[in-house]
Amino acid sequence: MSKLPQISRYSKSKKIYIHTFGCQMNEHDSEQMAGLLEFEGFSLTDEMEKADLILINSCAIRKKAEEKAFSEAGRLKELKRLNPDIRIGFCGCVAQREKEKIFKRATYIDLLFGTLNISDLPDMLKRLWHGEKKICQFLDEPVSMKNHSNHCLRLSKIKAWVTIMEGCNNFCSYCVVPYVRGRERSRSPDDIIEEVNLLAKSGYKEVTLLGQNVNSYGKGMNPPSDFPSLLHRLNEIEGLERIRFVTSHPKDLSMDLVFAIRDCKKVCDHIHLPLQSGSNAVLKKMGRCYTVEEYLYKVSVLRDCVPGISLTGDIICGFPGETDRDFEKTLDVIECVRYDGLFSFKYSDRPQTSASKMPDHIPEIVKAERLQRLQTLQNRICSEINSEMVDSELPVLIEGYSKMNPRKLTGRTRTNKVVNLEGTKEIIGRTVMVKITCSKKFNLEGEVIQT
Ligand code: 5AD
Ligand code: SF4
């Protein structure tokens, strides 16, 4: 690559707006991009109309998410017609999969880059504002973890996401992640500890460790490392109050991890353990490498060892070949586990995945009906579990003002339940004792009894 010109005053004054679609991983990537750009002297704006560059960080996990990113890009076409100086960038998992084909589909896009090219962003922007047209940058196979922690612009001052690993080796047959995020690679424990130490020193109370499958953290690392040992080390960090993590693959949930959740006081009493289907036949076709019986056994061990632990999961309805009977089995497992919360999705056909080539795809209407039934069942369970919590007294970490009702504060229990309450801003960032006064389907209301 030619030597880049020094960043000019002209490009420094440019404002960037980042629009993020999809999961926490994407949100955190956007925080990384924002931090990096700010460090390099660019400014960020949360007013799209005032931006010189609008960056769309896309998600490819389901078709709907992908379409949302493209339809947002489509809206920007008109903005660009009115203001030809505006630049439009497109990145994230959809960009990684489609690469320069996106230029053909959306001719008004100026900048395209992949999930592994975040650290190149400041250089790409300098080139863009020095007149280069149609910049496109993709790295295919990551050699190691990208540099994460140095410059990150976090919105919250209380809780922070921390990436501990990237990519995935599991190739579940429906999932596009291994194709767009590459193979699994873990970040060094010392690096993670350093980032969390810094966060705790600057007043952060909670971290959520991010990875597609945190349970296989450290595999193949030299010197060897594993997730339970990482939790034990993080548990020692002064000032930090809570440690959460997502996502756990049931096949890799070890006894050591269960004991770490039990023994590390800062590790919260909550686990997100995606089931995906309650039918062994479907699980097999999904390539999940566990049976319903093994899953239920792990749930019972978790509940025995960590009484009161809350459990959430993911379910896919209408995987190719899923029969009515398979689906009924999923409902049975949901009844049996009684999840504190479920993310449920209609199966979405993703290019490249092996499920896409399987026979017997389920009609959209059947998938929708199944999803509806599942959600009705889960809503009932959520309401029941939440109403059992009324009158209990629990520590709640106050995170800030509620988005739904800005006159109220909002926080979470260790079990990850949202509690809204009256209070003054002085308690933001503190853990206070709260009496639960009322329950809703997805959250709780309470009053502070002790600060
Ligand atoms: N269709 C529907 N849901 C999917 N997920 C992943 N891939 C697909 C797909 N092709 C869901 C899984 C996963 C969650 C993050 O998204 O349930 O756990
Ligand atoms: Fe996708 Fe399966 Fe990897 Fe999760 S474990 S990211 S569902 S391939």
Side-chain angles (χ1 to χ4, degrees):
M1 205 198 306
S2 63
K3 200 167 180 314
L4 287 166
Q6 285 299 303
I7 180 166
S8 66
R9 274 177 188 285
Y10 171 67
S11 45
K12 267 192 181 177
S13 65
K14 299 292 186 193
K15 291 196 180 65
I16 295 137
Y17 175 92
I18 306 180
H19 195 150
T20 313
F21 293 86
C23 61
Q24 291 159 325
M25 206 66 92
N26 255 23
E27 298 261 2
H28 188 45
D29 278 353
S30 290
E31 291 183 337
Q32 305 268 351
M33 290 194 271
L36 196 60
L37 290 174
E38 194 159 77
F39 176 77
E40 291 277 345
F42 293 92
S43 53
L44 291 138
T45 175
D46 44 19
E47 291 171 275
M48 187 155 69
E49 297 70 29
K50 293 197 179 149
D52 299 287
L53 170 92
I54 300 169
L55 196 54
I56 294 178
N57 188 2
S58 63
C59 168
I61 196 101
R62 282 171 291 278
K63 199 169 175 202
K64 213 161 144 191
E66 182 168 331
E67 281 169 355
K68 270 196 207 154
F70 276 123
S71 83
E72 178 60 19
R75 264 186 351 115
L76 302 181
K77 186 179 175 183
E78 177 58 15
L79 208 67
K80 188 155 177 163
R81 198 181 60 77
L82 298 172
N83 172 12
D85 286 340
I86 205 165
R87 302 285 201 280
I88 297 172
F90 197 91
C91 60
C93 295
V94 181
Q96 183 70 37
R97 200 193 63 217
E98 294 293 300
K99 303 202 171 66
E100 59 282 349
K101 276 189 261 166
I102 292 177
F103 279 146
K104 287 206 188 98
R105 174 175 179 167
T107 48
Y108 47 89
I109 286 178
D110 305 283
L111 168 70
L112 274 178
F113 60 96
T115 51
L116 308 164
N117 297 81
I118 288 180
S119 55
D120 305 332
L121 184 56
D123 284 344
M124 291 188 281
L125 292 195
K126 288 172 209 172
R127 282 159 52 200
L128 198 65
W129 278 310
H130 279 89
E132 205 174 313
K133 302 251 180 301
K134 300 280 174 204
I135 296 177
C136 177
Q137 209 148 305
F138 290 96
L139 195 70
D140 263 329
E141 253 317 303
V143 262
S144 61
M145 282 281 294
K146 60 181 180 254
N147 191 1
H148 259 272
S149 54
N150 294 350
H151 314 291
C152 188
L153 193 74
R154 295 181 160 97
L155 282 183
S156 169
K157 298 277 167 267
I158 291 148
K159 52 181 196 172
W161 289 311
V162 174
T163 305
I164 64 162
M165 61 191 301
E166 289 173 340
C168 182
N169 287 352
N170 289 314
F171 288 91
C172 300
S173 63
Y174 51 82
C175 185
V176 77
V177 167
Y179 305 94
V180 290
R181 293 257 174 195
R183 292 306 84 74
E184 196 174 280
R185 55 229 179 254
S186 296
R187 189 172 167 199
S188 95
D190 290 345
D191 224 29
I192 299 168
I193 303 289
E194 191 187 319
E195 182 175 0
V196 178
N197 249 320
L198 272 173
L199 287 166
K201 283 208 178 87
S202 24
Y204 280 88
K205 299 286 185 262
E206 178 180 308
V207 290
T208 300
L209 309 174
L210 294 180
Q212 304 295 346
N213 175 14
V214 291
N215 297 1
S216 73
Y217 170 80
K219 267 190 195 157
M221 238 180 174
N222 189 13
S225 188
D226 60 43
F227 189 51
S229 339
L230 180 70
L231 289 178
H232 280 282
R233 283 186 68 186
L234 290 167
N235 193 50
E236 299 304 314
I237 292 182
E238 217 177 295
L240 185 70
E241 288 180 14
R242 291 179 170 189
I243 302 167
R244 302 186 185 278
F245 54 88
V246 277
T247 284
S248 292
H249 195 306
K251 79 175 163 59
D252 296 314
L253 179 82
S254 64
M255 275 318 284
D256 279 350
L257 177 56
V258 178
F259 294 148
I261 302 171
R262 182 193 64 187
D263 299 336
C264 299
K265 289 297 153 240
K266 294 179 182 176
V267 174
C268 289
D269 310 334
H270 166 231
I271 188 159
H272 185 71
L273 200 62
L275 168 72
Q276 312 298 5
S277 168
S279 149
N280 284 335
V282 176
L283 285 175
K284 193 152 190 230
K285 285 193 230 164
M286 287 177 161
R288 291 290 289 174
C289 307
Y290 54 81
T291 61
V292 171
E293 293 70 24
E294 283 160 352
Y295 181 94
L296 291 176
Y297 173 71
K298 291 195 176 181
V299 168
S300 73
V301 170
L302 271 164
R303 286 182 165 157
D304 284 348
C305 292
V306 192
I309 191 168
S310 76
L311 200 86
T312 53
D314 296 337
I315 305 271
I316 297 177
C317 298
F319 184 81
E322 183 188 73
T323 61
D324 284 338
R325 182 73 200 106
D326 290 322
F327 176 65
E328 295 293 338
K329 286 183 183 168
T330 299
L331 297 182
D332 290 345
V333 178
I334 293 173
E335 278 279 20
C336 164
V337 173
R338 289 178 66 78
Y339 288 93
D340 291 80
L342 268 184
F343 297 94
S344 46
F345 315 99
K346 288 186 282 181
Y347 167 77
S348 172
D349 199 30
R350 302 287 62 212
Q352 286 175 296
T353 62
S354 57
S356 176
K357 289 157 215 119
M358 286 181 187
D360 305 324
H361 280 245
I362 306 294
E364 213 37 50
I365 183 158
V366 177
K367 286 195 263 185
E369 269 169 23
R370 288 181 185 169
L371 185 69
Q372 178 70 48
R373 276 188 68 196
L374 190 153
Q375 289 180 341
T376 307
L377 167 63
Q378 182 56 36
N379 288 350
R380 171 174 61 73
I381 295 172
C382 277
S383 300
E384 287 168 3
I385 293 179
N386 284 349
S387 68
E388 283 160 20
M389 292 183 67
V390 173
D391 288 335
S392 58
E393 296 174 4
L394 304 157
V396 171
L397 172 60
I398 308 295
E399 295 173 2
Y401 288 98
S402 157
K403 279 198 195 107
M404 307 303 272
N405 179 356
R407 281 174 295 127
K408 285 206 167 180
L409 294 174
T410 187
R412 276 168 202 262
T413 64
R414 282 176 56 88
T415 54
N416 211 29
K417 305 229 182 259
V418 174
V419 185
N420 296 321
L421 41 81
E422 306 272 350
T424 54
K425 66 174 187 313
E426 286 70 36
I427 62 168
I428 295 176
R430 298 228 309 256
T431 299
V432 295
M433 280 307 285
V434 171
K435 181 168 180 165
I436 305 301
T437 50
C438 169
S439 75
K440 306 256 168 81
K441 205 189 308 166
F442 298 119
N443 59 39
L444 302 162
E445 284 186 15
E447 58 191 28
V448 179
I449 51 172
Q450 194 189 328
T451 54

